[in-house]
Amino acid sequence: RTMVSEGAVFSEGTIETLQTTYVRTAQEMIRKYHGAALINDLPFDRDREDLAVKTFAEGLRIGAESFLEEPLGHPEMPSWNKVTSVFPRFPEMLREAVENDA
Protein backbone atom coordinates (compact mmCIF):
# COMPACT_ATOMS: atom_id res chain seq x y z
CA ARG A 1 0.00 0.00 0.00
CA THR A 2 2.94 2.29 0.57
CA MET A 3 4.03 1.77 -3.02
CA VAL A 4 0.48 2.42 -4.27
CA SER A 5 0.34 5.66 -2.31
CA GLU A 6 3.53 6.64 -4.16
CA GLY A 7 2.04 5.89 -7.58
CA ALA A 8 2.85 2.21 -8.23
CA VAL A 9 0.09 0.25 -9.96
CA PHE A 10 -0.70 -3.32 -8.93
CA SER A 11 -3.32 -4.95 -11.10
CA GLU A 12 -4.92 -8.29 -10.34
CA GLY A 13 -2.59 -9.81 -12.95
CA THR A 14 0.49 -8.32 -11.31
CA ILE A 15 -0.49 -9.71 -7.94
CA GLU A 16 -1.23 -13.12 -9.48
CA THR A 17 2.22 -13.09 -11.11
CA LEU A 18 3.82 -12.19 -7.78
CA GLN A 19 2.08 -15.07 -6.02
CA THR A 20 2.96 -17.58 -8.74
CA THR A 21 6.56 -16.42 -8.89
CA TYR A 22 6.89 -16.74 -5.11
CA VAL A 23 5.57 -20.31 -5.08
CA ARG A 24 7.71 -21.44 -8.03
CA THR A 25 10.86 -19.84 -6.65
CA ALA A 26 10.25 -21.25 -3.17
CA GLN A 27 9.64 -24.74 -4.56
CA GLU A 28 12.85 -24.53 -6.60
CA MET A 29 14.81 -23.44 -3.52
CA ILE A 30 13.34 -26.31 -1.51
CA ARG A 31 14.39 -28.73 -4.24
CA LYS A 32 17.93 -27.32 -4.30
CA TYR A 33 18.36 -27.26 -0.53
CA HIS A 34 16.91 -30.75 -0.23
CA GLY A 35 19.45 -32.01 -2.76
CA ALA A 36 22.29 -30.23 -0.98
CA ALA A 37 21.18 -31.66 2.35
CA LEU A 38 21.10 -35.20 0.91
CA ILE A 39 24.57 -34.88 -0.62
CA ASN A 40 26.02 -33.44 2.59
CA ASP A 41 24.09 -35.76 4.92
CA LEU A 42 22.40 -32.81 6.64
CA PRO A 43 18.92 -32.84 8.15
CA PHE A 44 16.26 -31.18 6.00
CA ASP A 45 12.56 -31.44 6.70
CA ARG A 46 11.07 -31.00 3.26
CA ASP A 47 7.52 -31.39 4.53
CA ARG A 48 7.97 -28.49 6.97
CA GLU A 49 9.51 -26.35 4.24
CA ASP A 50 6.61 -27.16 1.90
CA LEU A 51 4.17 -26.27 4.68
CA ALA A 52 5.96 -22.95 5.29
CA VAL A 53 5.67 -22.10 1.58
CA LYS A 54 1.98 -23.03 1.50
CA THR A 55 1.33 -20.99 4.65
CA PHE A 56 3.10 -17.91 3.30
CA ALA A 57 1.37 -18.29 -0.07
CA GLU A 58 -1.97 -18.37 1.74
CA GLY A 59 -1.00 -15.19 3.58
CA LEU A 60 -0.15 -13.58 0.24
CA ARG A 61 -3.53 -14.65 -1.13
CA ILE A 62 -5.40 -13.18 1.84
CA GLY A 63 -3.36 -9.97 1.67
CA ALA A 64 -3.95 -9.72 -2.08
CA GLU A 65 -7.72 -10.06 -1.63
CA SER A 66 -7.68 -7.35 1.03
CA PHE A 67 -5.51 -5.13 -1.17
CA LEU A 68 -7.73 -5.55 -4.24
CA GLU A 69 -10.83 -4.69 -2.21
CA GLU A 70 -9.26 -1.50 -0.84
CA PRO A 71 -5.93 -0.62 -2.49
CA LEU A 72 -5.17 2.38 -0.28
CA GLY A 73 -6.27 0.65 2.91
CA HIS A 74 -7.27 2.51 6.00
CA PRO A 75 -5.69 5.88 6.74
CA GLU A 76 -2.55 5.61 8.84
CA MET A 77 -2.61 6.65 12.46
CA PRO A 78 -0.94 9.99 13.03
CA SER A 79 2.46 10.09 14.71
CA TRP A 80 2.72 11.37 18.27
CA ASN A 81 4.48 14.46 16.90
CA LYS A 82 1.44 15.27 14.80
CA VAL A 83 -0.95 14.63 17.70
CA THR A 84 1.00 16.88 20.06
CA SER A 85 1.31 19.61 17.44
CA VAL A 86 -2.50 19.74 17.23
CA PHE A 87 -3.14 19.02 20.93
CA PRO A 88 -0.07 20.20 22.86
CA ARG A 89 -1.54 19.09 26.20
CA PHE A 90 -2.44 15.62 24.95
CA PRO A 91 0.33 13.68 26.77
CA GLU A 92 -0.65 15.39 30.01
CA MET A 93 -4.37 14.80 29.37
CA LEU A 94 -3.71 11.13 28.59
CA ARG A 95 -1.65 10.69 31.75
CA GLU A 96 -4.41 12.31 33.85
CA ALA A 97 -7.07 10.11 32.24
CA VAL A 98 -5.07 6.97 33.00
CA GLU A 99 -4.41 8.06 36.57
CA ASN A 100 -8.10 8.89 37.11
CA ASP A 101 -9.11 5.52 35.68
CA ALA A 102 -6.82 3.56 38.00
Side-chain angles (χ1 to χ4, degrees):
R1 291 194 165 118
T2 299
M3 292 172 69
V4 169
S5 70
E6 294 174 358
V9 177
F10 290 94
S11 66
E12 192 170 338
T14 302
I15 292 172
E16 211 170 281
T17 300
L18 174 69
Q19 292 172 305
T20 302
T21 301
Y22 164 72
V23 171
R24 286 183 183 163
T25 303
Q27 289 171 341
E28 178 65 17
M29 292 293 102
I30 289 171
R31 187 187 67 71
K32 285 181 180 182
Y33 283 112
H34 182 249
L38 288 174
I39 290 171
N40 294 296
D41 196 30
L42 296 170
F44 185 83
D45 190 339
R46 190 171 185 155
D47 291 335
R48 285 187 67 182
E49 295 296 327
D50 284 333
L51 178 60
V53 168
K54 288 177 185 171
T55 301
F56 189 78
E58 178 65 9
L60 279 177
R61 185 191 64 74
I62 292 168
E65 285 178 2
S66 171
F67 172 80
L68 290 171
E69 287 173 9
E70 196 170 349
L72 294 177
H74 301 289
E76 293 183 17
M77 297 214 21
S79 70
W80 283 111
N81 290 338
K82 192 172 230 175
V83 171
T84 56
S85 72
V86 175
F87 300 105
R89 288 194 57 243
F90 184 78
E92 180 184 334
M93 293 165 54
L94 179 60
R95 187 173 31 261
E96 288 172 3
V98 169
E99 288 171 355
N100 290 337
D101 192 46

